[in-house]
Amino acid sequence: MSPAHGAQPAQQASARLDNLTMSRKEGLRAMADTPSRRQPDQLLPKQLADLSEAALEEYQEDRSIWHANIGPIKTPQLEALHEDLWDIVDSNRQDGDKVKGAVAVDAFPGLGKTTAVLNFALKYHRREIRRRGAFTDAGHERWPVCRVGLTSNIGMKDFNRALLEFYAHPGRTSGTSALFVQRALDCVLQCETKLLIIDDLHFLKWQARNGKEVSNHFKYIANEFPVTLIFIGVELEKRGLYSEIDDSGDITLAQTARRTTPLTLDPFKVNDEQRRQQWRKLLLALEKRIVLSRSFPGMLADELSDYLFFRTTGHIGSLMTLINRGCQRAVRSGAELLSEDLLDQVKIDAASERARRALEPKFKQHRLTSKTQPTGKLRKEHSKAGAV
């Protein structure tokens, strides 16, 4: 059996994960239940050349899918966020007559907040199913997590309909807003949902009529639904999550501030040795997940450390995009390794490209570096990086 075929069962098991959405319960369950992908075997250039045309095509497909789904990486930021989420969620075991504390994960784009929260949600889903079973005592499907994404013009009825869409409720197409929310509450109770994730909260126009309706509606949900609310968004405090809506005496959002714990994800920085070591460990962990026939230890952490930092400004979303697209080009072009010349041909987000113009000269002039001071401990990192 060729190395290309060796990864086939695991790849087939997750081959259709690209054709799902996390706004449907079936998509969330597929993500939670599908076994982890098996990393394709690392072939030397000669082994790659010896593959038949069919085996090579299959191997390239396996590598393409693998590199496109190379994360998430257990960074210090992700682990800290998960620890805080476990604290909050596991402490929200109050009886139904008490309001449960909410969470707001607030960070700039490109820092992986949605990825980190969904990764936590999948772990929570698996834990609850393992502990309590796939069905409730009453015989209903158990859905520990519900996720809803907001749009810029969403109203209260639209939000309630989105809740029903997640559960595929037959009454999601017709009815009043009041009926929709009662049906949604029935779904939450019958399916014993404990986490309600509301993504892209920054799309909500707080000062518009719809924004006020929905933000007031969150208070109702917090009071009446036995769930932990997890909001995800950008600059939520600035947009009004923790402030009063206006001067008319409406204190709904002020109450939200008392009940909501803000959490964040920070970009990587290289302004001291500890942060440089964190950046290096991230790159070492990524190296172990790259499947290119000419890759080598230190390809990222030694040869490309500064380059990757000023290309992405320490934003892990931009970094993962650059690595993914770079690997796709390296495979397609036959280069089979990552270099500055190759990565310079790869385009990523506009924010990173703008920031590069200001940051790159500081590295080129040796006024800033991402590289750590050499120590005996750091020389052993390549063999230990898989634990990151």
Side-chain angles (χ1 to χ4, degrees):
M1 182 175 290
S2 71
H5 286 80
Q8 189 174 12
Q11 301 294 21
Q12 285 182 340
S14 54
R16 301 304 297 167
L17 290 184
D18 63 331
N19 191 37
L20 57 81
T21 172
M22 298 293 280
S23 63
R24 300 288 190 277
K25 57 186 176 67
E26 293 83 4
L28 191 145
R29 180 169 58 191
M31 289 293 295
D33 291 351
T34 301
S36 298
R37 287 182 173 86
R38 180 184 181 275
Q39 182 168 336
D41 295 328
Q42 184 87 30
L43 301 186
L44 297 174
K46 185 179 185 307
Q47 293 174 304
L48 193 63
D50 288 342
L51 292 177
S52 68
E53 183 177 347
L56 177 62
E57 184 175 347
E58 184 181 325
Y59 183 59
Q60 307 297 54
E61 174 72 0
D62 288 346
R63 289 199 292 172
S64 179
I65 294 172
W66 171 259
H67 289 136
N69 297 279
I70 207 168
I73 304 292
K74 293 180 182 178
T75 64
Q77 294 92 325
L78 181 141
E79 290 187 311
L81 177 65
H82 281 195
E83 284 298 310
D84 288 334
L85 287 173
W86 284 122
D87 286 345
I88 295 166
V89 171
D90 283 346
S91 66
N92 274 357
R93 304 291 294 274
Q94 299 94 337
D95 295 335
D97 62 324
K98 301 178 181 67
V99 176
K100 301 180 188 297
V103 181
V105 180
D106 187 348
F108 287 114
L111 294 177
K113 55 188 177 296
T114 296
T115 299
V117 171
L118 290 180
N119 184 252
F120 172 83
L122 295 176
K123 291 179 180 179
Y124 182 82
H125 173 93
R126 286 189 288 264
R127 189 190 77 171
E128 293 300 294
I129 297 299
R130 185 173 61 250
R131 285 181 174 180
R132 309 180 195 286
F135 294 89
T136 68
D137 291 343
H140 300 290
E141 290 182 329
R142 186 185 306 280
W143 295 103
V145 179
C146 173
R147 182 242 173 220
V148 174
L150 298 191
T151 62
S152 59
N153 61 349
I154 196 167
M156 188 166 66
K157 185 174 182 179
D158 301 317
F159 178 80
N160 294 335
R161 182 186 290 112
L163 285 172
L164 296 179
E165 287 284 357
F166 178 87
Y167 294 101
H169 192 284
R172 64 190 182 276
T173 58
S174 62
T176 65
S177 180
L179 281 175
F180 280 173
V181 74
Q182 290 306 312
R183 291 167 185 166
L185 178 57
D186 288 341
C187 288
V188 166
L189 294 175
Q190 291 172 1
C191 300
E192 298 188 4
T193 301
K194 300 302 178 187
L195 290 186
L196 175 53
I197 298 171
I198 302 173
D199 204 354
D200 292 325
L201 190 63
H202 50 275
F203 284 157
L204 193 64
K205 296 178 180 178
W206 302 97
Q207 303 303 325
R209 179 187 173 194
N210 282 357
K212 294 179 182 180
E213 278 187 354
V214 176
S215 56
N216 287 335
H217 191 49
F218 292 155
K219 177 176 177 288
Y220 171 80
I221 290 175
N223 287 338
E224 303 299 331
F225 285 45
V227 297
T228 298
L229 283 166
I230 300 181
F231 301 111
I232 307 173
V234 178
E235 294 186 323
L236 298 181
E237 181 175 7
K238 181 179 178 180
R239 295 172 189 274
L241 178 61
Y242 308 123
S243 307
E244 294 182 1
I245 295 176
D246 52 34
D247 298 327
S248 66
D250 187 342
I251 61 171
T252 302
L253 292 184
Q255 291 176 349
T256 301
R258 286 290 183 183
R259 295 172 176 175
T260 305
T261 302
L263 302 176
T264 192
L265 285 166
D266 294 320
F268 281 86
K269 297 183 179 179
V270 293
N271 55 336
D272 61 42
E273 186 65 14
Q274 181 180 1
R275 291 185 173 92
R276 287 191 287 270
Q277 288 185 18
Q278 290 178 351
W279 177 249
R280 179 178 175 83
K281 288 178 180 178
L282 170 62
L283 298 185
L284 288 169
L286 279 172
E287 281 182 13
K288 288 187 172 291
R289 289 159 173 78
I290 290 175
V291 185
L292 298 173
S293 66
R294 295 178 60 206
S295 64
F296 57 91
M299 181 178 68
L300 302 186
D302 294 331
E303 300 298 322
L304 294 172
S305 178
D306 283 354
Y307 177 86
L308 292 173
F309 192 87
F310 67 65
R311 275 297 304 270
T312 66
T313 60
H315 285 64
I316 193 166
S318 301
L319 175 67
M320 300 301 283
T321 298
L322 181 61
I323 295 297
N324 173 22
R325 294 178 183 175
C327 288
Q328 306 291 346
R329 183 177 286 258
V331 169
R332 191 174 62 253
S333 67
E336 290 292 335
L337 85 166
L338 299 182
S339 65
E340 286 193 31
D341 288 342
L342 183 139
L343 291 174
D344 270 340
Q345 302 172 53
V346 175
K347 306 299 189 295
I348 56 173
D349 59 277
S352 292
E353 299 293 6
R354 283 197 305 269
R356 175 185 182 178
R357 293 194 289 270
L359 196 57
E360 184 174 3
K362 297 180 181 180
F363 284 87
K364 298 293 188 182
Q365 297 165 13
H366 305 290
R367 290 186 286 138
L368 192 61
T369 182
S370 66
K371 296 182 179 179
T372 59
Q373 296 297 319
T375 66
K377 180 180 179 180
L378 290 177
R379 283 194 293 269
K380 299 177 181 178
E381 283 180 333
H382 288 291
S383 61
K384 297 180 179 180
V388 175

